[in-house]
Amino acid sequence: MEVKHSLFGLLLTSSVIVLAAQSALAEVAQQGVPTSNMLRLNQLERPVTSSVDLLAQEPSTAIVVEVTGVRINRTQTGIEVLLETANSEALKPLTRSEGNTLIANVPNAQLRLPDGNTFRQENPVSGIAEITVTNSDPSSIQVRVTGEASVPKVELFDSNEGLILALPTTAGASPNAEAAPATPEQPTAETDEEIEVLVTGEQDGYSVPTATTATRTDTPLRDVPQSVQVVPQEVLRDQQVTRLEEAVRNVSGVTTGDTFGNTRDNFVIRGFSTDFGGNILRDGFRSTGFNTGFNETANLERVEVLKGPASVLFGNLAPGGIINLVTKKPLEEPFYSATLEVGNYGFFRPSIDLSGPLNPDRTVLYRLNGVYENSNTFRDFDQGIERSFIAPVLSWQLGQQTNLRLEFDYLNDERPFDRGLIAIGDEVVDVPFDRILGEPDDVSNLEQIGAGYTLEHRFNENWSIRNAFRFLSSDTFDYRADPVELDEETGILTRNFRSNDDISSSYGTQTELVGKFATGSVQHTLLFGADLFWQNTEGTQRRLPAGLTPDLNIFDPIYNQIPRPALSELTNVVRDDNQRTNTVGIFLQDQIDLADNWHLLVGGRFDILDQEGEDKTEDTTSEQNVDAFSPRIGIVYQPIEPISLYASYSRSFQPNVFTRADGSFLEPERGTQYEVGIKSEFLDGRLAATLAAYQITKSNVATPDPADPDFSIPIGEQRSRGIELDVAGEILPGWNIIVSYAYTNAKVTESNELAETEGNRLNNVPYNTASLWTTYEIQSGDLEGLGFGFGLFFVGERQGDIENTFDLPSYLRTDAAIYYRRNNWRAAVNFKNLFDMDYIRSAEYREAIAPGEPFTVVGSISVDF
C-alpha cells in the first residue's frame, strides 16, 4: 500500500504544480509582455486553412499552382523554407505531425523545379534532421520537416515571393553552413501575414506514412516491400487502450495466444506464436521473453507491427512477425498532462505525462510518464490487480551533431493467477464465466527494472552512427491451485498447489551505421550494424506432493477446503534450472532507389548463438552453438504516385530447445516467407490501405522420435497461408477509421505417427478475423469537439490445442465511445463489449481457457497544460 499511496501522492502533487504554473502564466499574460508588430491569429481574418474549408471548395475548379523554387534562408531566430510561387495566396496548407516529423500538405499545387521535382536537405540547422519537399500526387505538394529530438515548432506565412515555413532553432544554434546558402540575417522574403502556428508533440491522425521497424531507417511505408501496420497515439487514446492486446486487435492477422494464467502478453501473428514476448520489441530491443508480464502502454507513442520474418534485423525470432513498442520521447516545448480513468469492477487508473526543457538553451530535455492502476476483475477472485509504472527519459544535445538519450523504467504488477475455464469433450464447459477453478487467492507478482541509453552522431548530412544499450531485469513469482485432470462424468477436477519463482536479466547493445550515397543515378541508403544480446534466467517450480490438494467440483465448487500450504511444504521440486544465452549478429542492408518509382531492398544477417542450460534436478548440463544466415530481398514498383506494388522473400531462424537421443540439440527452426501486395494512398495521403498475400513455412519443428519418444527429431513442418487487408486514415474532416480483415490458413504439414498432428490446424488461429473502429468529431458550431466512436471486433472459430481436441467458438464484440474535447481538456466514456456477450479470448490447453471480459464502462478525463 505504500507504493499505492506514494505514487498517488506524486500524481496529485504534480497536478497541483501544473495548475499553479498555469495560473502564474495567466497572471503574466494579464500584466502584458512585449510582442512583435506581426499580427497574431486572433487579430486576423483567417484564410482557408481547415480541412472542412478545403473540402468545401469545388475541386473541379481549383487551379494547380506551380512552385518553381525551394529556398532555405537564415533568419535571426533560425531558418525559413520558402516555396517560391507567383500565387502564394492560393496555397492553403494542412498541417499534422507524426512522431518527430511535421507534415504540411499543400493541395492544388505542384513542384516545377529546374533540376527535378524533389527538394531534400539534411541537417540544415541544429535541431532539424531533414527537410524534404515532394509532389505527393499530381495536384498536391508535401513538405516534411523532421526534428532530431521532437517535432519542430513551425510558423506558416504568406509572402510576396511564396509560402514561408519559419523554423525557430534553439538559443545559440546556427544553421549549418554547408546546408544553407550565405544570406542576410533578415529574411529575404517580406512576410505578408501569418497563416498558422503549430506546436505539437504528439501523433495526430490514424494514418501513419513512415515507420522505422521494417528497415531501421525512417522509410515511407509505401516504399517498404513488406506489410507494416501502425497503431498510432490517437487510436490508443480514442479506444482507451490500457493493454497491448487492445491495441493490436486493430491489426490484421494478430490474435491473442497463450497468456500463462492471464499474466503475460503473447500473440499469434500470421499463425505463429510470439513465444511469450520474444517477438515483442521495445524501441527495437527484444524483451526477455517468458518473464516480461504485460507491457505497459502509458508511455507508448505508437505500436508498429511488421508482418513476416524479421530475423534479418533483429535476430532469432519466430517467423510470424514482430510488435515494436515505440515509446514517447522528450519534447522541446513544455507539455504537462494528467489523466484519470475510472470504471466498473473498481477500476482506478491515474497517470501523468510531463515533458519539456531543463535549461534555457533547450539542449537538455526530459519526459516523465507514470501510472498507477488498481482494480478488481470480473472473475470471482479475492485477489485484485495493483500495478505501478514510472518511466523517466532524459535527452541531452551534446553538440550540433551529437545527441544522448538516457532511459529508465520500473514496473510492479500484482494480479490473480487465472487459468480460466476448462474443456469438456470438444467444447468449453458451460459454467458462469466468473467462476474460478483454482483458489480465490491465487496470485502472480512481477517486479521489472529497465535502463538504457541511445547515442547518435551525424558525421555530415549523409552519414550517421547510432549506439544503443538496454538492460532489463525481471523477478516473477506465482502460487496457484493448478487444474490437472477432469473427470468429465462427475465434474470433479483434480488440482495441485504449485509455485514458480524465476529471475531473468538481459543485456542488449546495438550499433549501426547509416549512409546515403549515389552510384550514378541510383540512390542508396546503406545500413551496416552489429548487435549483442546476453540473457540469464534461473528459477524453480515446486509442487505439493500428489493427492494433498483438494479436488473441486466445477459445477458446485467449494473453496478453501484446507489452508493454503506454506512454500516450505511444496517439497516436490520438478524444475530447478539455469539457462544462459549469448547472441552476436552482423547485418547489412541496402535500400536502392533504382528510379523514382522503383525501390529495391536487399539485406542479410549472420548470427552466432551460444546456449547453455543446467538442470539441477537431474544434475545435467546441455550446450549448443548454432549459426544462421537470414536474407531478405524485396522490390517495390509504383506505376502511379499513390500506388505501390511489391514482392518480397525473407527468412527467419529460432534455436530449438529439444534434443535427440544422443543429447544433441535439434537444428534451429527456419521460417521462409513469400509475400506480394499492393499499398495505396487516397484523399491526399490521409487514407492508406495495404492488401497482402503470403505463405510462411516453418521447418525443423520438433516431433517425437519413433525410436525413443522421450526425445525428438526435426521432421515437423508448419505452414501458414493468408490474405490481409488494412485500411487507416481520415475519410472526411473529423471522421477517422481503422479497418482490418485477415484470412489465415495455418496447419501442420509434416509430422509422424507419434505426434499424430499432420493436417491439424494450429491452435488459437481462426480462419477469419476482422475489425472496424471509427470515430467522428463535430468540427464546428455549438457542439464542436463532441465525438463518437464505434467498433466491431470479430474472431472466428479456433482450435484450442495442437491436437485439435476442442473448439473455441467465434465471437463478435461491439465497443462504443463518446467524448468531448475543448481547449486543453478532454472527457470520454468508453463502452467495451457493449452487448455483454460471453466469448473466449484464447486457450493454453484443455484445462486453461481464457474467457473475455463482460460489459465494461471506463470514464476518463485528461487535462493538458
Side-chain angles (χ1 to χ4, degrees), residues 210-394:
T210 63
T212 59
T213 300
T215 61
R216 284 197 176 184
T217 61
D218 194 15
T219 303
L221 295 181
R222 62 193 302 270
D223 295 342
V224 176
Q226 207 166 336
S227 179
V228 185
Q229 306 305 321
V230 181
V231 184
Q233 176 69 206
E234 191 164 344
V235 174
L236 303 179
R237 182 201 62 200
D238 290 348
Q239 295 183 355
Q240 287 296 309
V241 167
T242 58
R243 293 288 175 267
L244 184 57
E245 178 183 351
E246 299 173 312
V248 297
R249 66 180 179 172
N250 297 284
V251 179
S252 66
V254 183
T255 56
T256 302
D258 172 4
T259 61
F260 188 61
N262 199 31
T263 64
R264 308 283 192 270
D265 275 330
N266 189 23
F267 303 101
V268 177
I269 308 176
R270 286 188 168 176
F272 297 101
S273 172
T274 58
D275 295 324
F276 295 104
N279 283 44
I280 300 176
L281 314 179
R282 180 189 183 277
D283 293 327
F285 280 96
R286 290 190 298 137
S287 68
T288 56
F290 187 79
N291 297 325
T292 53
F294 288 116
N295 292 272
E296 182 52 55
T297 61
N299 68 331
L300 293 189
E301 177 68 32
R302 62 186 182 273
V303 178
E304 299 181 356
V305 181
L306 171 62
K307 312 286 190 65
S311 288
V312 67
L313 294 181
F314 300 104
N316 52 305
L317 297 167
I322 61 173
I323 300 172
N324 188 25
L325 311 181
V326 181
T327 60
K328 296 177 179 179
K329 306 301 187 294
L331 305 176
E332 188 172 305
E333 295 295 325
F335 175 77
Y336 313 101
S337 177
T339 302
L340 175 64
E341 300 169 84
V342 295
N344 52 348
Y345 303 109
F347 180 74
F348 174 73
R349 182 179 162 99
S351 62
I352 57 172
D353 183 0
L354 313 175
S355 188
L358 291 176
N359 63 343
D361 291 341
R362 302 191 180 191
T363 57
V364 181
L365 311 175
Y366 81 96
R367 191 149 194 172
L368 176 65
N369 288 103
V371 65
Y372 171 77
E373 181 179 326
N374 189 290
S375 72
N376 299 314
T377 73
F378 72 96
R379 305 271 290 152
D380 197 16
F381 282 96
D382 296 336
Q383 174 70 44
I385 297 174
E386 187 166 16
R387 180 180 177 91
S388 55
F389 172 81
I390 190 167
V393 184
L394 186 70

Side-chain angles (χ1 to χ4, degrees), residues 290 499-502 538-542 572-577 615 617:
F290 187 79
S499 175
N500 287 300
D501 194 351
D502 294 271
E538 58 179 303
T540 62
Q541 183 182 116
R542 300 175 180 273
N572 182 16
V573 180
V574 299
R575 178 175 64 86
D576 186 358
D577 56 22
D615 186 345
T617 61

Side-chain angles (χ1 to χ4, degrees), residues 70 100 198 232 234 259 357 380 394 420 553 574 597 600 644 666 847:
V70 179
N100 288 349
L198 177 65
E234 191 164 344
T259 61
D380 197 16
L394 186 70
N553 187 328
V574 299
N597 59 343
L600 179 66
S644 297
L666 304 186
E847 289 79 28

